Amino acid sequence: MRALIFLKPGHLMWQEQPELTLQGPRDAIVRPIAATTCDLDRLIIRGEAPFRGPFAIGHECVAEVVSVGDAVAKVKRGDIVIVNWHISCAHCDRCHDGRPNACRTHQKGAMYGLPGLGDWGGTFSESLHVVEADFALTKVPAHVSPELVASGADNLPFAFEFTVPHLRQTPGADVLVMGGCGSIALYAVMFARAAGAGRVVYRDEDPHRLDVAARLGAEVIEGPPPRQAGSFPIVVDASAHAASLLCALRSVEPEGIVSSVGGHFADVSMPLFDMYRTGVRFYTGRGRGGPNVAETLDWVARGLVDPSPVTSEIAPFEDAPTVLAEPSLKPILTRPALYGGGKLD
Ligand SMILES: [Zn+2]
Ligand SMILES: [Zn+2]
């Protein structure tokens, strides 16, 4: 099978590798049919993140199930699924209570598409090995196209996690989204609007992303981050930029929440005394992924949200080395399903 290897900034190539085989009765082998870049991948490919090639890149995909072990009960060959990007054991207390991102069994940060964490392969490759398939795979509703939810493992549920639960606690609250890194900020605008936020304000400097945010229903602030952008109960930092994070921290209402999706690789000096006087709940993390996938898919299936304005191009997998060499906002690579989308048996 062929794996897509990230070599160095701006350079990727296909590499022939041994076929994958089931390693245990609860495993599955799946074949990605729609894969896309997480915002982190775009930083890696541009040389703006501290990950050096060569390694198989990619941790977001919709896949078709190719084979399953004898103990797998919930999916079968031909099913179209989202593949959880955190590698998790399914059996520890944290996996049980909705934190597979903090699984006790697999080493911290084990995931597809990054080196040194178990080398699980990447989601642009022709096949992936999935452990604990019943836990790791979520079926995509039949009428939802794989392209529409190619980001359904990570960036979509990530944006959901940082907006919808907070809006359920404070219905109608205003939301500030600090953009600048890629798609997660735009998906956060989309979910905040759909979840009934009051004002949704989006800040960025990129004309195309500002245009997409406006189409998704945001008021936009164009230009470098101000010292403070107002006062919001809910703030999402998806900027990967220290000045924007500081603006986010100064723009939260007393006892409000600032959630940062990461992309900050250097230490940032935080205005802790300001934060202390205001009362700020600050959270940063990789997103829980799996526990939010089914509800995210349901919102797409019911037409409550439409991620398609964020998609920048759809291309065949074959073209991945050139399409991803200078990745656009949200490129989606596709190949036809082999087994008919679960309709054979
Ligand atoms: Zn990611
Ligand atoms: Zn676990």
Side-chain angles (χ1 to χ4, degrees), residues 121-204:
T123 50
F124 292 106
S125 299
E126 284 179 337
S127 46
L128 279 183
H129 176 229
V130 178
V131 296
E132 300 295 337
D134 281 337
F135 186 74
L137 302 178
T138 306
K139 282 191 204 177
V140 175
H143 64 283
V144 174
S145 79
E147 293 90 344
L148 197 57
V149 290
S151 212
D154 182 6
N155 290 181
L156 278 169
F158 205 176
F160 179 97
E161 179 179 336
F162 280 7
T163 52
V164 175
H166 304 320
L167 283 160
R168 284 178 176 150
Q169 281 195 344
T170 50
D174 293 344
V175 176
L176 171 65
V177 178
M178 300 299 286
C181 181
S183 65
I184 303 171
L186 296 166
Y187 292 145
V189 168
M190 176 185 80
F191 279 115
R193 291 286 299 162
R199 298 170 67 215
V200 179
V201 178
Y202 176 86
R203 189 226 65 90
D204 201 338

Side-chain angles (χ1 to χ4, degrees), residues 4-337:
L4 185 73
I5 304 297
F6 165 72
L7 295 170
K8 61 183 182 179
H11 293 272
L12 302 102
M13 65 170 281
W14 291 112
Q15 184 181 79
E16 200 61 40
Q17 295 189 349
E19 291 298 322
L20 300 176
T21 54
L22 296 170
Q23 303 293 310
R26 296 191 298 274
D27 292 3
I29 304 296
V30 303
R31 180 174 172 274
I33 58 170
T36 187
T37 47
C38 167
D39 293 349
L40 173 61
D41 297 324
R42 294 177 68 247
L43 295 175
I44 292 170
I45 292 168
R46 295 195 311 222
E48 297 170 10
F51 300 100
R52 302 286 167 254
F55 60 87
I57 196 167
H59 55 274
E60 292 231 73
C61 76
V62 173
E64 65 176 337
V65 177
V66 172
S67 59
V68 298
D70 292 341
V72 173
K74 295 181 183 172
V75 295
K76 63 184 185 307
R77 170 183 280 198
D79 282 347
I80 303 298
V81 294
I82 297 286
V83 184
N84 281 2
W85 67 281
H86 299 297
I87 308 295
S88 43
C89 77
H91 301 293
C92 73
D93 59 324
R94 291 177 181 164
C95 282
H96 272 253
D97 70 15
R99 295 176 294 158
N101 51 314
C103 174
R104 291 187 191 276
T105 306
H106 290 279
Q107 55 174 309
K108 185 180 177 188
M111 60 179 281
Y112 295 107
L114 275 188
L117 300 169
D119 295 326
W120 295 93
T123 50
F124 292 106
S125 299
E126 284 179 337
S127 46
L128 279 183
H129 176 229
V130 178
V131 296
E132 300 295 337
D134 281 337
F135 186 74
L137 302 178
T138 306
K139 282 191 204 177
V140 175
H143 64 283
V144 174
S145 79
E147 293 90 344
L148 197 57
V149 290
S151 212
D154 182 6
N155 290 181
L156 278 169
F158 205 176
F160 179 97
E161 179 179 336
F162 280 7
T163 52
V164 175
H166 304 320
L167 283 160
R168 284 178 176 150
Q169 281 195 344
T170 50
D174 293 344
V175 176
L176 171 65
V177 178
M178 300 299 286
C181 181
S183 65
I184 303 171
L186 296 166
Y187 292 145
V189 168
M190 176 185 80
F191 279 115
R193 291 286 299 162
R199 298 170 67 215
V200 179
V201 178
Y202 176 86
R203 189 226 65 90
D204 201 338
E205 291 160 66
D206 178 81
H208 175 63
R209 290 193 299 260
L210 284 161
D211 180 56
V212 174
R215 285 168 59 195
L216 291 169
E219 298 172 33
V220 297
I221 301 174
E222 183 169 5
R227 180 177 164 77
Q228 187 181 8
S231 184
F232 296 81
I234 300 166
V235 181
V236 177
D237 165 54
S239 64
H241 190 262
S244 291
L245 171 61
L246 295 177
C247 173
L249 292 168
R250 293 191 184 102
S251 303
V252 68
E253 271 192 12
E255 297 301 319
I257 183 156
V258 178
S259 307
S260 176
V261 306
H264 300 282
F265 303 109
D267 290 352
V268 176
S269 178
M270 297 172 88
L272 280 173
F273 188 49
D274 277 356
M275 292 167 66
Y276 166 79
R277 288 188 301 186
T278 305
V280 176
R281 292 178 292 150
F282 176 66
Y283 176 80
T284 187
R286 299 179 303 143
R288 294 185 175 185
N292 291 307
V293 168
E295 195 168 6
T296 301
L297 291 175
D298 182 57
W299 281 45
V300 175
R302 288 195 287 147
L304 300 177
V305 292
D306 174 12
S308 61
V310 182
T311 301
S312 49
E313 63 186 305
I314 297 176
F317 266 91
E318 186 63 32
D319 297 345
T322 46
V323 168
L324 298 185
E326 292 182 33
S328 55
L329 172 60
K330 201 70 178 175
I332 292 171
L333 298 164
T334 65
R335 55 170 70 95

